């Protein structure tokens, strides 16, 4: 379970009461920062929902983000044995469900080896806390419908795309069916990202109008190649500095707009203030209230 930071705001108490990785070239640890008072507050994205306060990638985590006033929610998508898209971070079910108890003879409990009906039987909340007992692994359909009800926005990560050939088309099919590929959603409420550069390229080729993001820290010399197919470079906060952020933002992506930088996973006020000083456009966090308060 995530450990709640001491700087979490009182808003959090209200909530509680109510990849195929493309390895980047090594990056120098830059320390120079821009003046924070010159930077607009970064976009705050709830990582796997407000996962510091509710079990990650569940409907409860999306609702927790909503209760904190956070519009953007990040999630992770896998595909079951029978082709249903489900929202879960790991390739396996063991860490965040009771799959070992329900299906003791099915090790290593990979998502791809279970049907959607079997996954739906699992408890995805008790590991986090007793009050979340009975929470389920949502399907992508269920998840986007909850975000729609909450009027939230989606940063969707395609997990381990090499494990699920064709998952990009499957994701777009579900999003289209649920109304998430109309003009307003595509323009303002949807980003698709992955650690797999080929997966990001596929999404861009299939739907060039969708905003895409690459998860990682490519070498500065390689950034122009990424700008041909992605709108965002989304690196770990431990791999960047102000110079790197500026190098990304000097480039224009496939839609003719400058590349954006959304960094992850920042869970404390000090690091939030640091990356804010670097000039990042967004911060992905388990504790969105902490980051929001630290970067206002």
């Amino acid at each position: 379970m995530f450990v709640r930071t001491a700087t979490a705001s009182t808003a959090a108490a209200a909530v509680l009461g109510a990849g195929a990785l493309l390895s980047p070239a090594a990056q120098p640890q830059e320390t120079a920062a821009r003046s924070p008072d010159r930077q607009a507050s970064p976009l705050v994205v709830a990582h796997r929902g407000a996962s510091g306060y509710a079990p990650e990638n569940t409907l409860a985590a999306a609702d927790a983000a909503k209760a904190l006033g956070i519009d953007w929610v990040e999630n992770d998508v896998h595909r079951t044995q029978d082709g249903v898209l489900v929202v879960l971070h790991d390739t396996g079910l063991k860490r965040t469900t009771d799959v070992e108890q329900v299906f003791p003879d099915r090790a290593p409990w990979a998502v791809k080896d279970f049907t959607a009906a079997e996954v739906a039987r699992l408890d995805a909340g008790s590991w986090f806390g007793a009050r979340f007992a009975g929470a389920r692994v949502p399907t992508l359909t269920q998840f986007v419908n909850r975000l729609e009800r909450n009027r939230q926005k989606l940063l969707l990560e395609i997990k381990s795309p090499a494990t699920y050939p064709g998952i990009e088309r499957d994701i777009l099919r579900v999003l289209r069916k649920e109304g998430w590929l109309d003009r307003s959603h595509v323009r303002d409420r949807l980003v698709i990202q992955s650690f797999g550069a080929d997966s990001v390229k596929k999404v861009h080729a299939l739907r060039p109008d969708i905003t895409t993001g690459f998860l990682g820290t490519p070498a500065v010399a390689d950034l122009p190649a990424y700008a041909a197919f992605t709108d965002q470079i989304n690196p770990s906060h431990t791999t960047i500095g102000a110079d790197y952020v500026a190098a990304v933002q000097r480039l224009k992506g496939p839609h003719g707009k400058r590349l954006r930088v959304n960094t992850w996973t920042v869970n404390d006020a000090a690091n939030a203030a640091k990356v804010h000083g670097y000039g990042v456009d967004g911060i992905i966090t388990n504790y969105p209230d902490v980051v929001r308060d630290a970067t206002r």
Side-chain angles (χ1 to χ4, degrees):
M1 182 189 298
F2 300 115
V3 178
R4 185 179 177 185
T5 63
T7 53
S9 74
T10 55
V15 174
L16 292 172
L21 178 64
L22 179 63
S23 298
Q27 298 296 324
Q29 294 296 305
E30 305 167 70
T31 57
R34 305 181 195 181
S35 174
D37 61 359
R38 298 180 184 176
Q39 303 301 320
S41 295
L43 184 74
V44 178
V45 180
H47 183 236
R48 311 177 198 171
S51 57
Y53 306 116
E56 63 183 62
N57 276 321
T58 62
L59 301 183
D63 291 345
K66 175 66 175 179
L68 291 170
I70 301 300
D71 291 334
W72 279 94
V73 174
E74 187 263 0
N75 76 355
D76 307 283
V77 177
H78 293 266
R79 189 171 64 202
T80 65
Q81 185 181 66
D82 52 343
V84 176
L85 299 177
V86 293
V87 177
L88 192 84
H89 178 268
D90 300 359
T91 56
L93 295 154
K94 179 179 176 180
R95 180 175 65 86
T96 58
T97 78
D98 61 349
V99 68
E100 288 184 276
Q101 289 72 49
V102 179
F103 299 103
D105 301 322
R106 300 276 294 276
W109 300 288
V111 177
K112 66 181 179 63
D113 296 331
F114 287 78
T115 67
E118 290 171 333
V119 173
R121 292 174 54 188
L122 304 177
D123 181 337
S126 291
W127 70 275
F128 190 89
R131 69 184 295 263
F132 296 105
R136 302 301 175 189
V137 175
T139 64
L140 179 58
T141 295
Q142 291 168 337
F143 199 87
V144 297
N145 285 340
R146 180 59 63 92
L147 295 189
E148 187 68 26
R149 191 188 79 175
N150 290 347
R151 299 305 299 167
Q152 290 170 297
K153 306 175 184 184
L154 176 61
L155 174 58
L156 183 156
E157 181 181 343
I158 304 173
K159 297 298 292 189
S160 304
T163 303
Y164 313 107
I167 192 173
E168 296 83 9
R169 287 185 182 274
D170 293 340
I171 288 170
L172 294 177
R173 188 178 302 114
V174 169
L175 293 176
R176 182 181 302 110
K177 182 179 179 183
E178 301 307 318
W180 276 72
L181 293 188
D182 65 13
R183 183 178 178 184
S184 64
H185 284 78
V186 168
R187 182 185 60 212
D188 299 321
R189 296 180 61 190
L190 176 67
V191 178
I192 298 178
Q193 65 176 359
S194 181
F195 282 102
D198 287 343
S199 189
V200 179
K201 289 178 182 178
K202 287 177 185 176
V203 172
H204 178 65
L206 290 167
R207 283 294 300 251
D209 55 332
I210 291 177
T211 300
T212 57
F214 174 73
L215 283 160
T217 315
V220 170
D222 295 333
L223 288 172
Y226 286 83
F229 63 87
T230 193
D231 304 279
Q232 301 177 359
I233 299 294
N234 297 339
S236 167
H237 74 96
T238 63
T239 66
I240 62 171
D243 292 345
Y244 185 81
V245 172
V248 174
Q249 293 172 341
R250 280 194 292 268
L251 298 173
K252 290 186 177 180
H255 294 119
K257 299 178 181 179
R258 73 163 178 82
L259 294 186
R260 294 174 62 86
V261 178
N262 298 316
T263 191
W264 49 270
T265 304
V266 179
N267 288 328
D268 63 274
N271 278 307
K274 179 188 290 187
V275 297
H276 179 32
Y278 293 161
V280 299
D281 298 289
I283 301 175
I284 302 169
T285 173
N286 302 334
Y287 298 95
D289 54 326
V290 173
V291 169
R292 178 185 57 201
D293 293 348
T295 57
R296 277 175 169 165

